[in-house]
């Protein structure tokens, strides 16, 4: 049986390779300049690989003996989106049978576990159980599921569907719920069983054979059950209602009759009664063990599933103990020495395992270990240890991931707030098959990953122009996951086979990152991958001048998703604009363009709010001094900086100027505008930036003219050579 159509692991076709760059020593001296140089080519793939000059080999600076960490547990087939949908379906159908006293045994057909989710989907596509049976389409169902013809598998599928899936589907359609006594007009108020004390006070109750919720229906040939009367105090229910509608009848909740008592089932959840033959579908015999009625099954099945995430392992590892475990696991799995296993074989096996509903392979991944706490793999000049000259050189290098985010041309160095999650590197200790799921970086920033040592890390990348297409495809193919977790792709817990994405028009590239190599991911470029074996990597975010427009677009995107920001984009831009003389010329020019757009917006929005809402009060606010959670828009969760609307009656609330209607229902005279800068101050900042940016423009024009002149001279020389 083919579970993924043409995209099972065995048939995995590696996507094309991403661009690989090998800078000269001269180019390597300016990291962000070099990344800007290769950007026009590299960003078209989303990711690229950079091989440093051969003798650039930073020493590994982690204290190996004291480095201890607790990894995450990853069950491979729970990572893959379509496989997780199938496993979730199996969980729900197993729960459905379990709470009715039956354990689900999934049948095997053609030596493979029957994929109940795919079977259900195909039957629904073909018109449902009744039509498929009536029009004898079971052979076609078998064919669609990839089974060989001529083996009468269709009738086998019908039998399994009717026995296992059909009752579940009928239940979910609502047909199995009682409609007679549970219809809105016939629903009776809940009434608890009477106590001994109640019966002493009301002798009439002693004459009745039945108690509780339900109509008083004597004369139907009922035989009282052996039910002990609860003593006073044993129940937390309110005092019994003594109306006739509060007396418990041993009658079927479906048909309302109490005959054929030997076929009446008593629910272990709510004490309602049902004839076995009144259930949909009917039961041929009473189930063994506990049994729940359709109403209780519905209540249980309505409970939302927990949001999926990774659990932490219980064992703490050192680098050595994790390496021993990882190498033993890989050698045993492939039955050969770890370094002899071809990367292509590991890749095919990885995609086969994540798409399997029957092979439950579990690995461990030391992911997101904060270098601030555990120490970086690069040498650091932080005064904690004396560095050799070589170590000091590497500690200053712009390619050191502790240095790159705070280089002069970098944007993040201008943020005072604690965003150590973005500015400080994270460490990753991998083993074979441990994976990182499809995601883009916070604020659509760049990321850079360095593999210090160990076996390769396999990457997949999608360019930013295809980001929305990837999201559409994943939501279209696995809507069930996104219904329960709309922000699933922000959770970093889902992968999807690149071949599936490519077949739906998403361009994907791949690469094997070897020890000593960098991988760069570009703004809004989705990326994912897995480790080929035991290795140690380090990664960090960074933002260059060209990122600023993407960063602004990201905030607009977050606003629509109501997603929290890590920092305020307006605050960052204004912080740079306030000190233009400290900015790199290129960064000053980019900041001027960004600031111009922000000021235009700030001219328009507050004026609209003041006019439309009739606001007369305004108050200056140093937003940067407030904790982020005290300046987030109540509606869209964006972090406010330049302006916000507040209410004197509701001091704990504020909204950004895009959501002024959502603040509160207080009178307009209670509303006031909170602002950071006056328009005059913003224009002054913009002017100072412009002066600084014009220096850059003047320089850029001179360079351009010089290049054009040089190019013209070359063309002239060529013409001169070719003229007789």
């Amino acid at each position: 049986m083919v579970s993924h159509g043409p995209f099972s692991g065995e048939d995995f076709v590696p996507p094309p390779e991403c661009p690989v760059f090998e800078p000269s020593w001269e180019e390597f001296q300016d990291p962000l300049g070099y990344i800007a140089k290769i950007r026009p080519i590299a960003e078209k793939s989303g990711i690229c690989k950079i091989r440093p000059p051969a003798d650039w080999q930073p020493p590994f600076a982690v204290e190996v003996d004291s480095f201890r960490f607790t990894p995450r547990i990853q069950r491979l087939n729970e990572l893959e989106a379509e496989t997780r949908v199938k496993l979730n379906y199996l969980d729900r159908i197993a729960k459905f049978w379990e709470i009715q006293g039956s354990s689900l045994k999934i049948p095997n057909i053609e030596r493979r576990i029957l994929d109940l989710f795919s079977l259900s989907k195909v039957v629904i596509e073909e018109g449902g159980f009744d039509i498929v049976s009536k029009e004898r389409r079971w052979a076609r169902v078998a064919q669609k599921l990839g089974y060989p013809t001529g083996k009468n598998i269709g009738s086998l599928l019908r039998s399994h569907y009717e026995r296992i899936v059909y009752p579940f589907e009928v239940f979910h359609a609502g047909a199995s719920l009682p409609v007679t006594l549970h219809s809105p007009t016939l629903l009776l108020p809940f009434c608890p069983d009477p106590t001994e004390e109640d019966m002493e006070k009301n002798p009439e109750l002693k004459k009745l054979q039945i108690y509780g919720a339900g109509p008083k229906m004597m004369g139907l040939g009922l035989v009282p059950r052996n039910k002990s009367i609860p003593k006073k105090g044993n129940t937390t229910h309110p005092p019994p209602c003594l109306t006739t509608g509060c007396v418990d009848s041993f009658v079927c909740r479906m048909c309302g009759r109490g005959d054929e008592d030997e076929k009446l089932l008593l629910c272990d959840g709510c004490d309602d009664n049902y004839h076995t033959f009144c259930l949909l579908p009917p039961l041929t015999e009473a189930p063994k063990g506990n049994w729940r009625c359709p109403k209780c099954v519905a209540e249980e099945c309505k409970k939302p599933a927990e949001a999926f995430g990774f659990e932490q392992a219980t064992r703490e590892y050192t680098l050595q103990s994790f390496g021993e475990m990882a190498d033993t696991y890989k050698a045993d799995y492939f039955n050969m020495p770890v370094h002899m296993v071809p990367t292509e074989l590991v890749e095919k096996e990885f995609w086969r395992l994540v798409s399997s509903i029957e092979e439950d392979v579990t690995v461990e991944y030391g992911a997101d270990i904060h270098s601030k706490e555990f120490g970086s793999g690069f040498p650091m000049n932080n005064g904690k240890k004396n560095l050799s000259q070589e170590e000091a050189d590497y500690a200053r290098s712009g390619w050191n991931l502790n240095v790159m985010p705070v280089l002069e041309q970098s944007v993040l160095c201008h943020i005072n707030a604690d965003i150590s999650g973005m500015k400080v590197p994270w460490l990753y200790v991998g083993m074979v098959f441990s994976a990182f799921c499809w995601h883009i970086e916070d604020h659509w920033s760049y990321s850079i990953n360095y593999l210090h040592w160990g076996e390769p890390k396999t990457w997949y990348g999608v360019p930013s122009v295809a980001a929305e297409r990837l999201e559409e495809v994943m939501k279209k193919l696995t809507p069930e996951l996104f219904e329960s977790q709309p922000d699933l792709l922000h959770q970093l817990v889902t992968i999807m086979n690149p071949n599936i994405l490519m077949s739906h028009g998403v361009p994907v590239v791949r690469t094997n990152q070897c020890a000593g190599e960098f991988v760069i991911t570009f703004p809004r470029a989705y990326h994912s991958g897995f480790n080929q074996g035991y290795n140690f990597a380090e990664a960090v975010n960074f933002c260059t001048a060209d990122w600023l427009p993407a960063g602004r677009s990201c905030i607009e995107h977050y606003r629509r998703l109501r997603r929290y920001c890590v920092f305020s984009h307006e605050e960052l831009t204004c912080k740079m604009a306030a000190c233009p003389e400290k900015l790199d010329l290129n960064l000053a020019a980019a900041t001027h363009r960004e600031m111009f757009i922000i000021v235009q917006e700030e001219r328009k929005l507050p004026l609209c709010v003041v006019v439309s809402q009739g606001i007369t009060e305004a108050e200056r606010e140093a937003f940067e001094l407030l904790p982020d959670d005290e300046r987030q828009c109540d509606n869209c969760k964006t972090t406010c900086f330049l302006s916000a609307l507040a209410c004197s009656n509701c001091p704990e609330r504020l909204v950004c100027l895009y959501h002024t209607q959502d603040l509160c229902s207080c009178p307009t005279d209670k509303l006031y505008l909170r602002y950071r800068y006056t328009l005059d101050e913003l224009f002054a900042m913009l002017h100072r930036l412009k002066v600084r940016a014009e220096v850059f423009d003047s320089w850029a024009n001179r360079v351009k003219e010089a290049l054009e002149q040089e190019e013209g001279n070359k063309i002239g020389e060529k013409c001169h050579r070719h003229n007789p």
Side-chain angles (χ1 to χ4, degrees):
M1 184 175 74
V2 182
S3 60
H4 261 307
F7 303 112
S8 61
E10 296 92 332
D11 304 317
F12 182 77
V13 178
E17 293 292 316
C18 78
V20 180
F21 298 94
E22 297 183 350
S24 65
W25 259 114
E26 186 182 358
E27 292 172 315
F28 199 67
Q29 299 311 304
D30 179 10
L32 297 184
Y34 183 69
I35 291 168
K37 181 180 177 181
I38 64 174
R39 179 170 69 91
I41 298 169
E43 72 178 348
K44 290 176 183 172
S45 299
I47 67 171
C48 74
K49 185 163 70 175
I50 296 177
R51 290 195 185 110
D55 44 355
W56 193 84
Q57 296 178 7
F60 187 58
V62 166
E63 294 287 344
V64 175
D65 295 333
S66 60
F67 188 90
R68 294 175 179 275
F69 64 98
T70 305
R72 294 173 182 168
I73 293 171
Q74 293 184 328
R75 291 181 180 84
L76 295 189
N77 55 9
E78 289 184 356
L79 295 177
E80 210 281 327
E82 292 192 307
T83 316
R84 197 188 314 157
V85 169
K86 294 178 182 181
L87 292 172
N88 287 349
Y89 182 83
L90 288 179
D91 281 347
R92 293 201 331 270
I93 204 168
K95 184 179 183 181
F96 169 79
W97 284 112
E98 182 189 339
I99 57 184
Q100 295 181 87
S102 303
S103 58
L104 174 63
K105 293 182 177 65
I106 303 174
N108 275 274
I109 298 181
E110 292 288 297
R111 301 188 301 282
R112 295 286 297 273
I113 283 179
L114 174 58
D115 183 348
L116 294 175
F117 175 75
S118 296
L119 172 62
S120 167
K121 248 189 156 175
V122 170
V123 170
I124 290 167
E125 284 168 9
E126 289 293 316
F129 177 73
D130 293 333
I131 289 175
V132 170
S133 301
K134 185 180 176 183
E135 299 185 7
R136 300 184 178 181
R137 294 188 195 172
W138 287 102
R140 185 168 160 178
V141 169
Q143 188 181 359
K144 275 194 166 186
L145 289 169
Y147 288 112
T149 54
K151 292 194 173 183
N152 204 25
I153 289 172
S155 55
L156 204 55
L157 289 175
R158 172 183 173 148
S159 168
H160 291 317
Y161 186 93
E162 192 169 15
R163 183 174 56 87
I164 300 170
V165 180
Y166 187 53
F168 179 67
E169 300 289 359
V170 167
F171 158 72
H172 267 285
S176 61
L177 290 172
V179 291
T180 311
L181 296 178
H182 276 280
S183 64
T185 53
L186 291 176
L187 252 180
L188 293 162
F190 172 83
C191 218
D193 292 344
T195 62
E196 287 176 332
E197 189 178 332
D198 295 324
M199 294 184 69
E200 289 302 320
K201 288 180 181 176
N202 190 342
E204 284 299 307
L205 285 171
K206 288 182 180 178
K207 300 176 186 175
L208 299 176
Q209 297 172 305
I210 48 183
Y211 318 103
K216 192 196 292 184
M217 298 175 74
M218 302 303 293
L220 289 176
L222 300 181
V223 179
R225 300 281 179 95
N226 291 325
K227 255 191 166 181
S228 59
I229 300 174
K231 297 198 182 298
K232 191 77 171 176
N234 286 0
T235 175
T236 58
H237 297 315
C241 166
L242 299 181
T243 65
T244 55
C246 296
V247 184
D248 181 9
S249 305
F250 287 110
V251 296
C252 173
R253 298 290 284 174
M254 296 292 273
C255 68
R257 300 199 326 270
D259 53 352
E260 300 194 58
D261 185 59
E262 71 284 356
K263 291 185 179 177
L264 269 177
L265 289 174
L266 176 67
C267 173
D268 289 294
C270 68
D271 287 354
D272 277 350
N273 301 274
Y274 292 80
H275 285 124
T276 54
F277 51 80
C278 284
L279 294 166
L280 288 175
L283 292 179
T284 52
E285 57 184 30
K288 294 167 185 170
N290 285 348
W291 175 80
R292 298 283 198 282
C293 70
K295 189 177 58 156
C296 289
V297 171
E299 286 300 314
E300 192 65 30
C301 290
K302 265 195 298 189
K303 291 178 183 174
E306 285 185 23
F308 177 77
F310 299 125
E311 59 185 282
Q312 290 292 115
T314 51
R315 180 182 172 184
E316 187 181 66
Y317 288 94
T318 63
L319 280 176
Q320 182 177 341
S321 61
F322 188 85
E324 288 167 355
M325 178 277 293
D327 283 344
T328 302
Y329 181 96
K330 183 176 178 181
D332 290 348
Y333 190 95
F334 289 100
N335 199 25
M336 64 177 90
V338 290
H339 297 292
M340 298 287 287
V341 186
T343 55
E344 299 82 4
L345 175 60
V346 178
E347 187 170 31
K348 281 185 181 292
E349 185 62 8
F350 174 78
W351 290 111
R352 188 189 72 77
L353 288 171
V354 298
S355 65
S356 169
I357 57 171
E358 47 196 303
E359 289 186 64
D360 193 12
V361 172
T362 300
V363 294
E364 296 179 64
Y365 192 11
D368 296 328
I369 301 167
H370 208 293
S371 65
K372 203 173 185 179
E373 185 180 346
F374 291 85
S376 170
F378 290 96
M380 288 182 70
N381 200 358
N382 54 12
K384 289 186 179 177
K385 61 177 276 191
N386 292 324
L387 303 181
S388 67
Q389 185 56 50
E390 182 197 35
E391 287 172 331
D393 289 342
Y394 282 109
R396 286 191 298 270
S397 169
W399 292 94
N400 180 323
L401 299 198
N402 299 280
V403 176
M404 183 173 278
V406 292
L407 288 171
E408 185 189 19
Q409 310 101 298
S410 171
V411 169
L412 295 184
C413 67
H414 297 277
I415 296 180
N416 291 337
D418 178 21
I419 56 161
S420 57
M422 290 185 73
K423 285 203 301 195
V424 178
W426 295 84
L427 311 174
Y428 300 85
V429 188
M431 66 177 287
V432 70
F433 302 141
S434 59
F436 51 105
C437 300
W438 285 113
H439 69 286
I440 43 184
E441 300 302 315
D442 285 335
H443 287 255
W444 298 354
S445 63
Y446 284 82
S447 78
I448 181 166
N449 183 295
Y450 181 72
L451 191 61
H452 284 280
W453 46 258
E455 296 192 65
K457 189 185 290 282
T458 298
W459 290 74
Y460 304 98
V462 170
S464 61
V465 292
E468 289 184 8
R469 180 63 186 150
L470 177 143
E471 292 164 2
E472 286 166 9
V473 170
M474 290 188 75
K475 287 174 184 175
K476 177 187 170 187
L477 295 180
T478 56
E480 300 87 349
L481 292 184
F482 287 87
E483 281 165 14
S484 57
Q485 282 179 280
D487 62 342
L488 186 66
L489 285 170
H490 296 135
Q491 307 300 324
L492 282 73
V493 292
T494 307
I495 55 176
M496 183 171 274
N497 190 317
N499 288 171
I500 295 173
L501 294 173
M502 292 162 75
S503 73
H504 286 82
V506 179
V508 184
V509 295
R510 73 171 301 287
T511 194
N512 288 328
Q513 176 193 21
C514 298
E517 295 178 340
F518 290 98
V519 165
I520 308 276
T521 73
F522 286 79
R524 210 188 181 185
Y526 271 100
H527 48 283
S528 67
F530 66 91
N531 295 295
Q532 293 272 343
Y534 178 44
N535 59 22
F536 190 105
E538 188 163 351
V540 77
N541 297 106
F542 67 96
C543 297
T544 55
D546 62 76
W547 161 84
L548 283 169
R552 178 168 30 84
S553 297
C554 180
I555 296 301
E556 291 165 5
H557 187 71
Y558 282 4
R559 185 181 281 125
R560 288 194 294 273
L561 295 180
R562 305 180 77 230
R563 188 182 170 194
Y564 292 99
C565 308
V566 178
F567 58 85
S568 163
H569 187 81
E570 289 176 347
E571 183 180 346
L572 169 62
T573 307
C574 290
K575 180 89 173 11
M576 292 191 291
C579 303
E581 66 283 352
K582 293 182 181 178
L583 300 182
D584 165 84
L585 285 178
N586 181 36
L587 184 53
T591 305
H592 176 258
R593 291 190 292 271
E594 191 66 19
M595 191 68 183
F596 181 81
I597 294 167
I598 288 173
V599 171
Q600 291 296 97
E601 194 78 353
E602 204 57 24
R603 280 179 72 185
K604 184 178 65 179
L605 269 177
L607 187 62
C608 292
V609 170
V610 168
V611 172
S612 65
Q613 304 269 47
I615 308 296
T616 57
E617 298 293 321
E619 182 180 291
R620 189 188 283 269
E621 178 77 74
F623 282 103
E624 67 274 23
L625 301 180
L626 297 176
D628 280 7
D629 59 359
E630 289 182 22
R631 54 177 173 137
Q632 279 156 351
C633 171
D634 259 28
N635 181 293
C636 68
K637 311 306 176 193
T638 200
T639 304
C640 297
F641 177 70
L642 282 176
S643 51
L645 189 67
C647 173
S648 55
N649 279 0
C650 313
E652 73 288 350
R653 302 186 67 188
L654 60 75
V655 289
C656 72
L657 300 192
Y658 287 96
H659 297 110
T660 55
Q661 303 298 323
D662 303 307
L663 178 59
C664 60
S665 55
C666 297
T668 305
D669 62 358
K670 299 297 180 185
L671 306 183
Y672 65 99
L673 190 69
R674 292 166 73 177
Y675 67 94
R676 179 63 185 88
Y677 298 109
T678 65
L679 272 179
D680 287 345
E681 289 168 338
L682 289 174
F683 283 130
M685 289 163 72
L686 192 59
H687 177 71
R688 291 197 300 274
L689 262 179
K690 185 183 179 187
V691 172
R692 178 75 168 158
E694 280 172 351
V695 176
F696 171 77
D697 290 338
S698 173
W699 170 82
N701 286 333
R702 288 200 303 273
V703 170
K704 186 181 176 186
E705 286 168 12
L707 289 172
E708 285 172 352
Q709 189 175 349
E710 188 180 330
E711 191 65 30
N713 291 341
K714 286 180 182 175
I715 292 169
E717 285 175 22
K718 285 179 183 175
C719 292
H720 180 71
R721 285 176 196 152
H722 287 94
N723 284 335

